[in-house]
Amino acid sequence: MTTATIEARETRSEAPRGRGTFLRRSGRLVASAAVATALLGATPATAGERSLLSSLPTLPAPRDRTDPPKDYGVPGLAVKEHTSAARTYLELTAAGSQGYCIVDQSGLRLKTWTTETENDSTELWRLVEKDGSATFERTRYVVASYLASAWVKSKTSIALREITKANGVTVWGYRDASGDVVLLARGVTSGREVRPAKPEEGLGIDFVASECGFGAARLGIGAAKNGVLAQLRGKLPPVGEGKAKVVPQFVVDGTLAKLARDPEPVLSVRVRLME
C-alpha cells in the first residue's frame, strides 16, 4: 500500500473513460490511487513495507515552561544580531553539521536559518543516526530579541523506528502526541502531504520542503479511514565523475489507511528511484 495503492476497495465503480476510478464508501466518493498518482506525479507501485500503527514509538507531548531559565541559549541554535540603517534584526542559524534544523511554523518547512522577532516561539528538530539506529529530538524555544538570545521552552526526544531501507535510503518514523505519523529521511529536498477533503473539493495537498540534511512529511491519523498519503523527494550522493557524474534522485511514497478488516491503521512506505 503506497501512494498508488489506497486499499479501501470495499465497493468499486468505474468513472467515465478518461476520468479515473473512484472508490465509494458510505455514499462518499474518495479519490482512488489513479487520481492520487496523477496528482503526485508518481508511477503505479506495488505494496510497500507495511507496519501497524501501534508498532511506531510515540513522541511525548511537550511540557513547555512559561518563564525563561537562568541560563539563556539553545543547544544547536546560534543567534546573531544584525543592524542596518533600516532596522535591527536577529538571524537564527541551526547547527546543521550536528543534525539540527529549524522548523518554519507556517508549514512543515525545514530551514538552515531564519529571522525571528521577540516572543516568536518556534521549533528546532534534530535527527541523529548512529550504528544503525536513529534518534529524533524536538526543541521548542522562544527568541528574546532584547538579549539577542533565545531560551528553551521544552525538549523531547525519542528513538525512531526504521520503517524501510531500500535503494540507499532509510526511512524512519514515529507518532507525535496527536497520533499523526511523521516520516523522516536524509537527502530529502521537497515533498507533499495529501489528505482527503470535502467531496466537492477533492484531495487537499500541502507542500513540504527542506534545506537541511533531512526532510519530513506527516500522515494525519484523523484521515486514516479514507486513506492519507505523503511523498518525499530527495537526492542521493553523486555517482561517477566529470561528464559521467550523475545525481540519483529518489521518491518515498507513504500511505496510512484502515480497512474494515484491519484492527488498526496500517502504514505502508516504499522507496523508489526516479529514472
Side-chain angles (χ1 to χ4, degrees), residues 156-229:
T156 52
S157 62
I158 193 172
L160 299 175
R161 182 190 165 190
E162 181 183 301
I163 305 299
T164 188
K165 186 175 184 178
N167 296 317
V169 179
T170 301
V171 181
W172 305 93
Y174 73 91
R175 297 177 67 188
D176 64 20
S178 68
D180 292 347
V181 173
V182 181
L183 301 178
L184 304 104
R186 290 199 176 281
V188 168
T189 57
S190 62
R192 308 178 191 183
E193 299 172 338
V194 183
R195 66 193 184 285
K198 296 179 181 179
E200 64 273 15
E201 296 177 353
L203 294 176
I205 299 180
D206 293 323
F207 292 90
V208 300
S210 177
E211 303 171 355
C212 304
F214 66 94
R218 301 159 295 191
L219 298 105
I221 185 62
K225 182 179 179 181
N226 291 330
V228 60
L229 308 104

Side-chain angles (χ1 to χ4, degrees), residues 12-23 29-39 202-203:
R12 179 179 292 272
S13 60
E14 296 294 330
R17 180 174 297 180
R19 296 187 182 180
T21 304
F22 291 85
L23 308 179
L29 290 178
V30 181
S32 73
V35 178
T37 294
L39 287 171
L203 294 176

Side-chain angles (χ1 to χ4, degrees), residues 1 5-14 21-33 195-199 203 220-229 255-262 264-266:
M1 181 169 54
T5 52
I6 310 175
E7 297 189 18
R9 295 184 287 271
E10 294 177 354
T11 303
R12 179 179 292 272
S13 60
E14 296 294 330
T21 304
F22 291 85
L23 308 179
R24 185 180 299 275
R25 175 185 287 161
S26 302
R28 293 183 59 189
L29 290 178
V30 181
S32 73
R195 66 193 184 285
K198 296 179 181 179
L203 294 176
I221 185 62
K225 182 179 179 181
N226 291 330
V228 60
L229 308 104
T255 303
L256 183 65
K258 183 182 184 303
L259 306 187
R261 65 173 181 267
D262 293 330
E264 61 179 286
V266 176

Side-chain angles (χ1 to χ4, degrees), residues 29-218:
L29 290 178
V30 181
S32 73
V35 178
T37 294
L39 287 171
L40 291 176
T43 56
T46 55
E49 192 74 25
R50 295 165 59 90
S51 306
L52 291 176
L53 191 63
S54 60
S55 68
L56 299 181
T58 300
L59 183 70
R63 301 180 63 179
D64 293 339
R65 61 184 305 157
T66 57
D67 298 320
K70 294 181 179 179
D71 298 324
Y72 278 69
V74 178
L77 185 71
V79 181
K80 184 177 180 180
E81 185 176 74
H82 293 271
T83 301
S84 66
R87 62 179 180 133
T88 296
Y89 65 96
L90 297 181
E91 180 182 271
L92 283 66
T93 305
S97 62
Q98 300 176 36
Y100 289 98
C101 197
I102 298 169
V103 180
D104 187 336
Q105 296 296 336
S106 62
L108 191 55
R109 289 171 172 78
L110 307 185
K111 305 168 69 172
T112 55
W113 70 277
T114 187
T115 59
E116 295 291 335
T117 58
E118 185 177 5
N119 296 326
D120 258 355
S121 178
T122 188
E123 296 183 4
L124 191 68
W125 286 10
R126 188 187 191 194
L127 175 65
V128 177
E129 295 182 56
K130 185 178 181 180
D131 300 329
S133 61
T135 301
F136 175 77
E137 182 179 282
R138 175 192 185 191
T139 302
R140 289 165 60 88
Y141 65 87
V142 174
V143 176
S145 61
Y146 60 96
L147 294 176
S149 187
W151 53 275
V152 176
K153 290 178 63 177
S154 63
K155 181 180 292 186
T156 52
S157 62
I158 193 172
L160 299 175
R161 182 190 165 190
E162 181 183 301
I163 305 299
T164 188
K165 186 175 184 178
N167 296 317
V169 179
T170 301
V171 181
W172 305 93
Y174 73 91
R175 297 177 67 188
D176 64 20
S178 68
D180 292 347
V181 173
V182 181
L183 301 178
L184 304 104
R186 290 199 176 281
V188 168
T189 57
S190 62
R192 308 178 191 183
E193 299 172 338
V194 183
R195 66 193 184 285
K198 296 179 181 179
E200 64 273 15
E201 296 177 353
L203 294 176
I205 299 180
D206 293 323
F207 292 90
V208 300
S210 177
E211 303 171 355
C212 304
F214 66 94
R218 301 159 295 191

